[in-house]
Amino acid sequence: MAGDTPFRKRRLRRTKSSEAHQGGTGPAEGASTPAEHQAALPPSPGTSDDERGRSASLEAVRAAASSEMPGQDGTTEPTTGAGRLRKLKRGVHKGGESARAAVGQLADRIIDTAPRIPVRDLDRLRKQFPGLGPEELADKLVAGACNATATVGAGIGAAAMMPVPPAMLAELAAEITGVAAIEMKLVAELHEVYGRRPPGNLGQRSTAYLTSWTEERGIDVSRPTTLNAALGGQMKRELRQQIMKRMVRDLPNLIPFMIGAAVGALMNRRDTRKLADRIRADLRRQQVTWDRLPALPPLEQPAVPAKELPKGLDEPGV
């Protein structure tokens, strides 16, 4: 009613009088009630939360705490569009670093494999393929290498019938190193057929053949700058780029249900033939005929051949 005293004021007066009756030292008349005392009071009926202000204060504290909550990486970023974009960029950056590390490991593995690849010299090749000229002998070598890389691609595609991400990466790495070993052997023996054996020992020749495979061109032994570039530090950077291209091209080989096997065989055969055509085009321009070739010593053979090469690749007729 209009003449009644509000409930809140009646409650405050009762509190003050009870304190005075008990002899407590309450606030002086007219002074404001302490914040602790008001906070301890139960909510009064008939009053709204907005009048007390308690809920609003708690919501503000919760919002401030959530906005300043550190993320997983220790940074304090608000959950806004810009913050999510920065997290996405960090994830892409970490993924790129992992890919570069995997490519670097593959490059080191291929560099380690190169000196362990057995290479047949010209005398042995002519004995295994009697009566053939340089072009016919080169055709035989290319056909054998294409069959070998197609077999590797089909085997990896068949193994990827039930794709599991870690296994897929291992299968992709195995295919790249296996195909690289077969193709580097082909590159080295094509240099023998066309009379363009690089000078040096086993390690130097292996580096030259590896660079020829990486750059998809023949080594010009008559130009020292070309040979020096093959033996320099630029080779490893170009090798990483070549491996990255191979990884992208070999991804369809991992399609399950035996589709990847057919795709892998077809693509590996095509890529090996394309590489051989480029190498042969370079070597033909520098070719030394067999009747003009000086007597060359037999090629050194590795003590432990590379296990990445399929068995029977050096058999007569292959």
Side-chain angles (χ1 to χ4, degrees):
M1 299 178 61
D4 290 344
T5 305
F7 178 81
R8 185 177 182 85
K9 293 183 180 180
R10 288 202 308 271
R11 183 180 183 87
L12 292 177
R13 281 198 299 270
R14 285 199 303 270
T15 304
K16 292 178 181 180
S17 61
S18 61
E19 288 179 354
H21 178 72
Q22 295 174 3
T25 57
E29 186 175 359
S32 61
T33 307
E36 294 83 1
H37 185 71
Q38 291 182 0
L41 290 176
S44 302
T47 60
S48 65
D49 290 343
D50 294 339
E51 182 182 351
R52 289 180 288 109
R54 181 174 178 82
S55 298
S57 301
L58 289 176
E59 292 298 331
V61 171
R62 292 193 189 100
S66 62
S67 64
E68 296 178 359
M69 183 69 67
Q72 297 292 336
D73 53 356
T75 58
T76 58
E77 289 185 355
T79 56
T80 61
R84 287 192 294 269
L85 181 60
R86 282 192 289 270
K87 290 181 180 179
L88 178 61
K89 288 180 178 179
R90 284 196 297 270
V92 172
H93 180 67
K94 291 180 180 178
E97 289 180 349
S98 301
R100 283 192 294 269
V103 170
Q105 291 177 356
L106 269 178
D108 293 338
R109 183 174 173 182
I110 292 175
I111 291 173
D112 180 66
T113 302
R116 297 186 289 109
I117 296 175
V119 178
R120 293 172 287 186
D121 55 30
L122 182 58
D123 290 339
R124 184 178 175 187
L125 288 172
R126 294 183 69 179
K127 290 177 182 178
Q128 287 187 352
F129 301 94
L132 299 182
E135 292 299 327
E136 294 82 5
L137 180 52
D139 289 340
K140 285 284 188 180
L141 296 178
V142 173
C146 288
N147 291 335
T149 55
T151 302
V152 172
I156 297 299
M161 288 184 62
M162 299 297 292
V164 180
M168 291 168 65
L169 293 177
E171 291 161 3
L172 195 61
E175 178 177 7
I176 291 174
T177 53
V179 170
I182 295 169
E183 291 180 348
M184 278 191 287
K185 179 179 177 63
L186 172 64
V187 167
E189 293 178 351
L190 286 177
H191 279 76
E192 287 289 316
V193 169
Y194 287 98
R196 305 305 294 175
R197 179 192 295 183
N201 56 25
L202 176 61
Q204 292 170 330
R205 286 196 309 272
S206 300
T207 306
Y209 295 143
L210 175 58
T211 305
S212 178
W213 176 81
T214 301
E215 298 178 353
E216 300 183 351
R217 64 176 181 84
I219 295 295
D220 188 356
V221 297
S222 63
R223 295 172 56 190
T225 55
T226 305
L227 192 59
N228 290 339
L231 301 176
Q234 183 181 359
M235 181 268 296
K236 193 166 185 179
R237 182 170 62 253
E238 294 175 349
L239 176 60
R240 290 195 184 101
Q241 296 173 357
Q242 177 72 358
I243 292 173
M244 183 65 74
K245 290 192 297 183
R246 291 286 179 129
M247 291 180 71
V248 174
R249 288 205 302 259
D250 290 346
L251 285 176
N253 301 6
L254 302 178
I255 301 175
F257 308 115
M258 294 301 293
I259 301 175
V263 173
L266 180 63
M267 292 183 64
N268 283 359
R269 186 186 299 274
R270 181 201 63 188
D271 292 342
T272 301
R273 188 170 295 278
K274 187 184 299 184
L275 170 69
D277 290 342
R278 292 178 179 175
I279 299 294
R280 292 176 70 176
D282 279 347
L283 294 177
R284 283 192 193 102
R285 291 192 290 265
Q286 317 160 30
Q287 182 177 1
V288 178
T289 58
W290 292 349
D291 56 348
R292 294 173 51 197
L293 269 177
L296 296 174
L299 289 175
E300 306 170 58
Q301 297 301 319
V304 181
K307 61 181 180 180
E308 289 81 4
L309 289 171
K311 295 181 179 180
L313 193 58
D314 285 347
E315 295 297 325
V318 179

